[in-house]
Amino acid sequence: MRIVISEFISLDGVVQAPGGPEEDTDGGFAHGGWSHPFFDPETVGGAFDDALRKADALLFGRRTWQTMAAAWPDRAGDPFADRMNAIPKYVVSGVLGESDLVWDNTTRIPGADAVAHLRELHVAEGGDLLVMGSPTLARTLLREGLVDELRLMIMPVILGGGKSIFPEDGALRPLELVSTVTSSTGVHVCTYRPSTKG
């Protein structure tokens, strides 16, 4: 499966809590919901919808999975919500047990064996395995060279600190820009893939 990471991201590389004030306050983060002023249904919403439509399964870290599992099942009847609820989901966690997997079609990947399991999923047959949010997981996937595509919705805001998806290991990881489109709200929706050059 192709592993695709899709993120709302600030100009300074922050992905923490784009959806709401209580989403993730770790480290005293006080800007939860920062993506809302820049969201437009056509370009940003369209990119999000396109990524989900092409996905065969979703992959989450524990915190993002818990946030999504608390939100989407109650929205049944909307086509996007129905897709979110029906699609197979994986959650990487060393904390959640099988009885905690209350969101339909969720499989737990034990945290201690996560990289080995993710490598197996990566070489398995199938379409896209889509990661949304989940900064710790996204950082691990990038560090391990398991990402086939980055879809970044770069929003015109500087947050001054917060969680990032990018490894801080000093490694050089060249990318190729595959496509870009700009929304009416100033969001650059950019698709990158690992560079085959050098």
Side-chain angles (χ1 to χ4, degrees):
M1 302 180 82
R2 282 189 348 134
I3 296 180
V4 176
I5 294 175
S6 180
E7 299 282 352
F8 298 120
I9 190 166
S10 70
L11 281 177
D12 54 344
V14 175
V15 299
Q16 187 170 353
E22 304 304 319
E23 183 179 344
D24 181 358
T25 58
D26 278 4
F29 190 76
H31 303 301
W34 55 269
S35 70
H36 293 187
F38 310 107
F39 187 89
D40 77 290
E42 184 177 336
T43 305
V44 177
F48 198 75
D49 188 56
D50 180 66
L52 183 62
R53 207 171 47 249
K54 292 178 179 174
D56 278 0
L58 304 177
L59 174 62
F60 297 105
R62 177 192 55 82
R63 183 190 292 265
T64 302
W65 180 87
Q66 287 178 311
T67 300
M68 298 283 203
W72 288 106
D74 291 338
R75 300 179 188 177
D78 169 83
F80 188 87
D82 289 347
R83 174 82 170 133
M84 288 287 286
N85 291 324
I87 193 169
K89 292 166 275 288
Y90 296 92
V91 57
V92 175
S93 176
V95 176
L96 295 175
E98 293 301 317
S99 63
D100 297 315
L101 304 181
V102 294
W103 196 10
D104 287 348
N105 306 311
T106 296
T107 301
R108 186 176 70 90
I109 297 174
D113 306 318
V115 172
H117 282 273
L118 294 169
R119 289 190 189 286
E120 289 174 10
L121 282 172
H122 192 226
V123 298
E125 291 294 320
D128 290 355
L129 182 58
L130 178 63
V131 179
M132 295 179 284
S134 309
T136 303
L137 173 61
R139 197 164 42 253
T140 298
L141 291 165
L142 283 164
R143 188 184 66 235
E144 297 294 329
L146 293 172
V147 177
D148 298 289
E149 189 169 282
L150 270 173
R151 292 183 174 204
L152 302 180
M153 287 158 274
I154 306 165
M155 304 203 166
V157 61
I158 295 169
L159 297 173
K163 293 178 182 176
S164 169
I165 63 168
F166 302 119
E168 295 182 353
D169 56 6
L172 182 68
R173 296 176 175 89
L175 302 171
E176 294 177 358
L177 179 64
V178 176
S179 67
T180 186
V181 62
T182 305
S183 78
S184 60
T185 56
V187 178
H188 289 274
V189 180
C190 300
T191 301
Y192 298 93
R193 292 182 188 144
S195 176
T196 56
K197 302 169 186 173

